[in-house]
Amino acid sequence: MTTAFASTPVLNNVFTHLSKNAGFEDIAAMALVGAASAAYMFKGTLWDKPDPYHYKWFERPQELMGARAGAQQTRNIAEKIEETGADMVIFWGSQSGTAERMSNRLAKECQQRFGLKVLSVDASDYESSTIAQIPRTKLAIFCASTFGEGDPPDSYQDLYSWLQSTSDRSLAELRYMAFGLGNSNYKHYNEVIKIVVNRLDALGAEPLLATGMADDAQGETEEHYLEWKEQVFGVFRTQLGYTERDPIYEPSLKVFEDESLEPIDLNHGVPADKTSDRKTNTSMSAVYSLPVKGARELFQVSEHRNCIHMKVDFSEHPELKYKTGDHLGVWPINPDAEVSRLLRVLGLISRRQIPITILSLEEDVKVKVPTPTTLDALLSHYLETCAPVSRETIASLVQFAPTSTAKDLLTRLSGKEAYADFLRSNYINLGRLLERAAGDEGAWKDVPLSFIVEILPVMQPRYYSISSSSVVQPRSAALTAVVSDTVFPGTNERIPGLSTNYMLALKESLEDKGKPHPHGLTYPLEGPQESLSGGRLHAHVRKSTFKLPALASHPIIMIAAGTGIAPFRAFLQERARMQSIGREVGPTILLFGCRNENQDYLYREELAELKAQFGDLLTLVTAFSRPDSGEKTYVQHRVVEHADEVCRLLTDGNANFYICGSASMARDVSNELGRELCQRQGWSDEQLKEFADKQKRFKRWQQDVWG
């Protein structure tokens, strides 16, 4: 531009000279050149401006179907409350989806019972500091789960950090209640909500109710939530003066058939790829259809119990990678029988392939499943059709009961004692419950489809520690999974684990074409639109911090029970490879517990071969809780027996310490090891805590455990 404007006087002189000495044609030609030059210089400013909405041509219309508005939302929660006229906001933090579902349910019931406008929000959607601007006339509820070593869920990270770091912000105007989800088998039971509440109080916020805490150690999360919810409603009635009314179902979604849609328009069941979300979780890969290149039974005696070793091939996707210690997320499929059972009682068997569209009726309610789709895809792949039914859901079904008998049964089962007694000998999901209450085909045809979509949880992946080393097998990953199959005492009723029974059916189909599942379960193994044909499953990789030390010469101690052996098989494979190429390998201890040496000693032959290769560098110790002879022994007992070496490596050798298995096992091991360390080092409980905290801070004490 500088050059163009600098030459303007020169052009003026030229035009002046031409006007005196040139003919009309020359002047006209130069005028055209000048006009063209000016047009070029002012392109994009005076003319041909870029359309600011041009990008709209490239937006995917299905992204707008999850919520009504596509407008940019404010990050200030106080502004959002004012914009929407809300009376209350629920900040949820959820790792597996339970806290989110409970928060959404609570928001809806507060509206139905008390006429309150409630926002149920992902805490990370708003600037944490703006909670200080919430006026005293409004209410806040904080609902968060605790996982791992007392860690907050991803969506609570910002709020959690802000509350712990801020000291100059008053929350004196904030009135709140809080509910935490945890498991007392874990050492840091409900740690997140405890810290959140302590910091809220320290900053001047006013609690209206004692903090509720759910304990899933005995599977009582739902009951603890319901008890706390009744206390919340009591506060509404007595302290706040709200009038309660009988709840009537008000849909937040619209579900309708649209036969004008073509198959190409539909989502047929392939898991939704969430990597395009605004808040991309960088620890997750995309979801892929991956070939299963081998599957075998690991239990020596598998008449009543099964354990699967499955090898999944990454070769088709060069961008898909994992590191030793990562997890594989497997997307399960609901069994055919349970999908058909629910469709039958709803009177929708003949409509299962008809296209349906799901739209949100409320600005702040998002559609959690891909749409448009079909009922078959929805109930087979996108919703957990086999999920247990809560008392709250049973109570909400009473209004749709087709007969007085069905109404009486549902009313009775919505009571706490009757519900608990029923579950002691019965497995119920939604289809089974409806069938039990009124089993004729189409008996429940008046239940709105929106109700079904709202109450069934969205399908979630199940995570398994990868039991292979990325150094040894970079283009394939192995997983190890015990098939979950709980049988009620004295009955033929069983609760089949959703993901593991699906994988068992897949394994059986690969081993022997047409071989049935041991319990008669069938699945659409070909997948949506045959995306899984030839023996595949949908899966993705999740990064983990459960890692080997950088140097193979660093000592490690591994404690495992059952399928907790999975990541340690990968660790040993990697160290064996390091040793085979001449790297120095440090002392390695594996303490492994299972039921019986001759039945479920996983990878027994492999471990024997590794022991032979490593020699004295590998200490392999087993514990059998149901031996053929002798006393039962658990891994924590072996920790005590080998405490001299374990404690020496931890304190003098800075060894990395790992536990993988059930949370209760990890707690018992940690307690026994703590006592042994205190005894040998002369430590107090506070000094032990300082040591453990330091080890964890430097990633030398890690756990990969489950409830």
Side-chain angles (χ1 to χ4, degrees):
M1 292 296 291
T2 302
T3 304
F5 281 112
S7 64
T8 302
V10 177
L11 287 173
N12 289 338
N13 291 334
V14 170
F15 277 114
T16 301
H17 174 77
L18 286 173
S19 64
K20 293 179 180 179
N21 302 289
F24 175 78
E25 292 84 358
D26 293 328
I27 294 174
M30 291 304 297
L32 287 173
V33 172
S37 299
Y40 176 79
M41 286 191 299
F42 292 106
K43 179 182 179 182
T45 56
L46 297 181
W47 73 283
D48 194 27
K49 294 182 182 180
D51 179 2
Y53 301 105
H54 182 64
Y55 70 94
K56 289 288 185 181
W57 289 101
F58 304 99
E59 281 190 343
R60 292 179 292 178
Q62 59 267 34
E63 289 184 348
L64 302 179
M65 301 182 78
R68 283 188 143 201
Q72 179 66 38
Q73 293 189 2
T74 177
R75 294 271 297 161
N76 185 312
I77 188 59
E79 290 180 358
K80 183 66 174 180
I81 289 173
E82 184 177 0
E83 288 174 6
T84 58
D87 303 292
M88 184 171 75
V89 58
I90 305 175
F91 297 99
W92 54 260
S94 189
Q95 199 68 15
S96 64
T98 305
E100 179 183 1
R101 290 194 299 273
M102 286 182 170
S103 297
N104 292 339
R105 285 163 50 189
L106 180 61
K108 187 156 190 174
E109 194 165 358
C110 287
Q111 177 182 337
Q112 293 173 348
R113 287 182 178 273
F114 298 95
L116 297 174
K117 170 68 174 176
V118 184
L119 298 178
S120 177
V121 303
D122 181 333
S124 63
D125 281 342
Y126 296 90
E127 293 291 344
S128 301
S129 61
T130 63
I131 67 172
Q133 301 174 30
I134 297 176
R136 188 168 180 78
T137 55
K138 310 298 181 180
L139 301 175
I141 289 180
F142 297 85
C143 180
S145 60
T146 296
F147 76 102
E149 292 293 288
D151 300 317
D154 294 337
S155 53
Y156 244 54
Q157 289 282 357
D158 293 343
L159 176 61
Y160 192 72
S161 299
W162 180 80
L163 285 172
Q164 289 185 297
S165 61
T166 191
S167 59
D168 59 350
R169 189 65 64 95
S170 172
L171 298 181
E173 294 298 306
L174 183 68
R175 298 185 301 164
Y176 79 93
M177 292 176 275
F179 185 71
L181 291 83
N183 187 315
S184 60
N185 283 331
Y186 289 77
K187 183 176 181 180
H188 301 280
Y189 169 61
N190 261 314
E191 187 77 8
V192 171
I193 205 66
K194 291 176 183 176
I195 290 176
V196 166
V197 166
N198 286 340
R199 291 302 301 153
L200 288 172
D201 292 347
L203 294 170
E206 177 188 350
L208 298 179
L209 180 68
T211 301
M213 295 188 193
D215 185 0
D216 201 42
Q218 301 298 325
E220 295 182 313
T221 293
E222 182 69 24
E223 281 301 324
H224 293 165
Y225 162 73
L226 294 178
E227 292 170 4
W228 173 78
K229 183 192 72 173
E230 286 305 314
Q231 296 174 23
V232 172
F233 291 170
V235 169
F236 289 164
R237 290 188 296 264
T238 58
Q239 295 184 41
L240 304 177
Y242 290 112
T243 301
E244 187 173 7
R245 62 196 185 194
D246 290 335
I248 299 175
Y249 174 65
E250 299 174 4
S252 58
L253 301 173
K254 180 180 180 181
V255 183
F256 59 95
E257 292 184 353
D258 186 352
E259 297 191 54
S260 68
L261 294 171
E262 298 294 332
I264 195 172
D265 300 321
L266 306 178
N267 295 276
H268 294 276
V270 174
D273 187 352
K274 298 181 180 180
T275 58
S276 60
D277 289 351
R278 180 176 61 80
K279 295 173 296 179
T280 300
N281 189 339
T282 57
S283 68
M284 307 283 189
S285 77
V287 178
Y288 296 92
S289 168
L290 300 175
V292 176
K293 289 301 184 184
R296 69 179 193 271
E297 175 64 51
L298 290 178
F299 284 165
Q300 288 84 356
V301 178
S302 59
E303 183 178 352
H304 302 294
R305 296 173 66 228
N306 297 89
C307 186
I308 300 168
H309 175 91
M310 187 170 281
K311 185 177 180 181
V312 183
D313 188 17
F314 290 2
S315 299
E316 296 177 1
H317 307 281
E319 71 281 9
L320 181 59
K321 298 178 175 64
Y322 77 98
K323 296 293 185 183
T324 305
D326 284 347
H327 300 133
L328 193 70
V330 174
W331 291 82
I333 300 175
N334 291 305
D336 293 325
E338 301 303 331
V339 174
S340 296
R341 187 193 309 273
L342 181 55
L343 287 169
R344 192 185 70 82
V345 294
L346 293 174
L348 294 170
I349 286 286
S350 63
R351 313 297 293 172
R352 65 191 303 165
Q353 298 297 344
I354 301 298
I356 60 171
T357 294
I358 307 171
L359 297 177
S360 173
L361 296 176
E362 299 177 14
E363 179 182 354
D364 296 299
V365 174
K366 298 178 181 178
V367 178
K368 298 295 185 180
V369 295
T371 180
T373 183
T374 64
L375 279 176
D376 191 66
L378 187 70
L379 297 180
S380 294
H381 302 281
Y382 292 136
L383 296 175
E384 300 218 355
T385 305
C386 295
V389 183
S390 68
R391 282 201 299 121
E392 190 177 53
T393 296
I394 293 175
S396 66
L397 279 165
V398 171
Q399 61 190 302
F400 304 116
T403 66
S404 58
T405 302
K407 185 174 183 178
D408 291 343
L409 175 63
L410 295 178
T411 301
R412 181 173 63 83
L413 290 181
S414 62
K416 181 177 180 180
E417 292 183 5
Y419 177 77
D421 184 64
F422 184 77
L423 290 187
R424 290 189 186 99
S425 57
N426 293 276
Y427 160 49
I428 59 165
N429 52 40
L430 183 59
R432 286 172 178 249
L433 175 68
L434 298 181
E435 189 177 64
R436 177 75 67 100
D440 293 341
E441 182 171 353
W444 296 86
K445 60 181 173 52
D446 292 331
V447 177
L449 274 177
S450 57
F451 181 87
I452 303 297
V453 177
E454 288 170 8
I455 64 170
L456 288 178
V458 175
M459 182 67 78
Q460 298 288 337
R462 271 53 173 181
Y463 289 100
Y464 302 91
S465 298
I466 295 176
S467 53
S468 57
S469 164
S470 58
V471 171
V472 180
Q473 300 175 19
R475 300 312 306 149
S476 65
L479 57 84
T480 307
V482 167
V483 178
S484 173
D485 191 36
T486 304
V487 180
F488 291 102
T491 73
N492 291 323
E493 287 275 17
R494 59 179 66 245
I495 304 177
L498 182 63
S499 180
T500 54
N501 277 277
Y502 160 59
M503 289 193 292
L504 178 59
L506 179 56
K507 179 190 81 73
E508 300 291 278
S509 72
L510 292 171
E511 284 185 337
D512 185 359
K513 298 295 184 181
K515 184 178 180 181
H517 186 284
H519 305 302
L521 297 175
T522 61
Y523 300 81
L525 296 178
E526 296 297 304
Q529 292 193 307
E530 300 187 345
S531 59
L532 302 179
S533 61
R536 293 169 173 260
L537 50 74
H538 284 121
H540 67 272
V541 170
R542 182 178 71 179
K543 294 179 183 177
S544 168
T545 59
F546 200 74
K547 301 296 181 186
L548 280 165
L551 297 177
S553 58
H554 199 86
I556 61 172
I557 302 163
M558 302 170 288
I559 315 291
T563 53
I565 191 68
F568 300 145
R569 175 181 184 258
F571 284 9
L572 290 173
Q573 281 184 351
E574 189 151 315
R575 287 207 149 190
R577 174 60 60 87
M578 294 296 103
Q579 187 186 54
S580 69
I581 62 175
R583 298 283 182 85
E584 179 186 355
V585 173
T588 304
I589 297 177
L590 171 61
L591 280 66
F592 173 53
C594 60
R595 292 185 181 185
N596 187 283
E597 183 176 12
N598 298 314
Q599 295 179 14
D600 55 4
Y601 185 171
L602 303 181
Y603 303 113
R604 180 176 181 175
E605 292 77 13
E606 287 186 34
L607 291 174
E609 293 172 3
L610 288 165
K611 172 61 180 171
Q613 176 180 335
F614 283 116
D616 293 339
L617 287 174
L618 173 61
T619 301
L620 176 60
V621 180
T622 54
F624 304 112
S625 61
R626 300 183 187 180
D628 291 331
S629 61
E631 295 183 4
K632 62 173 58 178
T633 309
Y634 296 95
V635 285
Q636 59 265 31
H637 301 147
R638 298 304 193 201
V639 169
V640 174
E641 292 173 9
H642 294 266
D644 286 342
E645 180 66 5
V646 170
C647 291
R648 183 188 66 79
L649 284 176
L650 281 175
T651 55
D652 299 338
N654 277 329
N656 279 36
F657 185 76
Y658 305 91
I659 307 178
C660 188
S662 71
S664 58
M665 178 275 292
R667 181 193 58 205
D668 292 340
V669 166
S670 297
N671 290 341
E672 292 291 352
L673 181 57
R675 280 191 283 269
E676 296 296 330
L677 284 167
C678 287
Q679 179 181 333
R680 284 164 174 75
Q681 301 296 319
W683 287 342
S684 64
D685 289 343
E686 185 60 33
Q687 288 172 312
L688 174 64
K689 183 178 183 303
E690 289 177 3
F691 172 77
D693 289 345
K694 178 183 176 183
Q695 295 296 95
K696 291 171 184 177
R697 191 164 58 251
F698 288 99
K699 305 296 183 185
R700 290 198 292 264
W701 186 305
Q702 298 185 52
Q703 296 186 175
D704 188 354
V705 299
W706 50 88

